[in-house]
Amino acid sequence: MKRIGFAGAGRMGLPMVRRLVTAGHEVCVVGRTAARRTALGEEGALVADCVEDAAEGVDAFVLCVFTDQQVRQVCFGSGLLDALPAGAVLVVHTTASPHTVKEIAERGIEVLDAPVSGGPHDIAAGRLTVFAGGEKATVERLRPVLAAYADPVLAVGPVGAGQSVKLVNNALFTAQLGLVTEAARLGRGLGVDEGVLLTALGHGSAASRALAGAASRGSADRFIDDVREFVDKDLAVARETADGIGARLGALAAAHAALDDAEPCITT
């Protein structure tokens, strides 16, 4: 059993907490409101009012907030880094900038740079993908903890590599979404029902996770609506990071542009 601190028990974080508790770990989670603290307690977690309290005596502290800015706020705008015990590992599941996790590590903190691919349903099934950047010994030390909700845990290089792999992954996924949008537009022009087309293509060589998501909604635009908030913020970080090193997105950028023409699906 490990003692785990946790901040960011939201859409992704809450099922992680649930799996960690079920696996027998002692999990202390930051709860900002009375309602959230009650809900976390019902999951079997210990509850703290602030990150400093949640970090007390931990073997690892998991950060699963939404944006790079929030990672920076928690790590540099609070007492978290000073509160972490010697030997504790900070696990950053947020998709953030490689520069951010490197800057944290430069403060003398042992960091597992560990962005994820998948959703709450993957966490519940224990099959979330983790792109782990950090020392190999650190990856192996935390693997039994991450195994509560993740498989595979892929060691991809030093701190920063996890974020870099995830940003490339999301840049490619977004490009695939753009291509699916264009394919659906072509199919409509040819007189093929979009839902039928997307389902059929999933059985051919055009299959991809982006296509599967669109097919499950019966519409490329509807799927884009569902994931746009997550895709847009990660793509912004990918563009900023690439610009910072003079790298080109190339054909990926051209496919991303197709998303600008996707029509929002309005439901009543």
Side-chain angles (χ1 to χ4, degrees):
M1 181 186 77
K2 299 290 187 182
R3 181 175 171 89
I4 311 296
F6 203 104
R11 173 179 175 269
M12 297 286 284
L14 184 58
M16 289 179 181
V17 169
R18 186 176 296 126
R19 295 279 299 194
L20 286 167
V21 170
T22 300
H25 299 294
E26 183 179 83
V27 186
C28 187
V29 190
V30 179
R32 299 293 188 185
T33 67
R36 173 58 65 179
R37 289 192 289 270
T38 298
L40 291 168
E42 290 173 351
E43 295 290 347
L46 303 174
V47 184
D49 294 332
C50 63
V51 291
E52 294 89 342
D53 289 345
E56 184 177 349
V58 299
D59 299 292
F61 192 100
V62 177
L63 192 55
C64 193
V65 293
F66 189 54
T67 66
D68 178 78
Q69 182 179 3
Q70 290 171 340
V71 171
R72 298 188 67 84
Q73 181 179 356
V74 172
C75 291
F76 303 129
S78 74
L80 173 61
L81 300 188
D82 290 332
L84 288 172
V89 180
L90 179 65
V91 180
V92 182
H93 278 327
T94 305
T95 300
S97 167
H99 303 302
T100 295
V101 292
K102 289 177 182 178
E103 187 176 345
I104 296 169
E106 288 169 357
R107 299 287 184 94
I109 304 299
E110 191 168 8
V111 177
L112 189 66
D113 162 31
V116 304
S117 182
H121 59 290
D122 296 303
I123 297 169
R127 61 168 184 257
L128 191 71
T129 296
V130 171
F131 302 120
E135 296 289 338
K136 289 184 177 179
T138 304
V139 176
E140 293 310 314
R141 179 150 58 98
L142 269 293
R143 190 180 293 277
V145 174
L146 300 176
Y149 48 81
D151 184 22
V153 176
L154 303 171
V156 296
V159 170
Q163 298 296 341
S164 296
V165 170
K166 179 62 189 299
L167 292 176
V168 173
N169 175 84
N170 283 18
L172 180 56
F173 175 70
T174 307
Q176 290 168 342
L177 284 177
L179 293 175
V180 170
T181 299
E182 292 294 345
R185 186 176 294 120
L186 174 61
R188 289 194 298 270
L190 293 171
V192 182
D193 177 84
E194 182 174 357
V196 171
L197 173 69
L198 295 173
T199 298
L201 291 176
H203 294 280
S205 57
S208 69
R209 185 169 292 187
L211 178 61
S216 71
R217 308 312 196 273
S219 161
D221 289 346
R222 189 171 294 117
F223 181 54
I224 291 167
D225 277 356
D226 290 345
V227 301
R228 186 179 287 278
E229 181 182 15
F230 304 94
V231 164
D232 283 354
K233 64 101 177 174
D234 292 350
L235 186 57
V237 177
R239 287 169 171 162
E240 181 181 349
T241 302
D243 288 345
I245 61 171
R248 295 188 314 109
L249 293 179
L252 295 174
H256 296 161
L259 295 184
D260 296 335
D261 298 327
E263 298 181 1
C265 295
I266 300 173
T267 58
T268 59

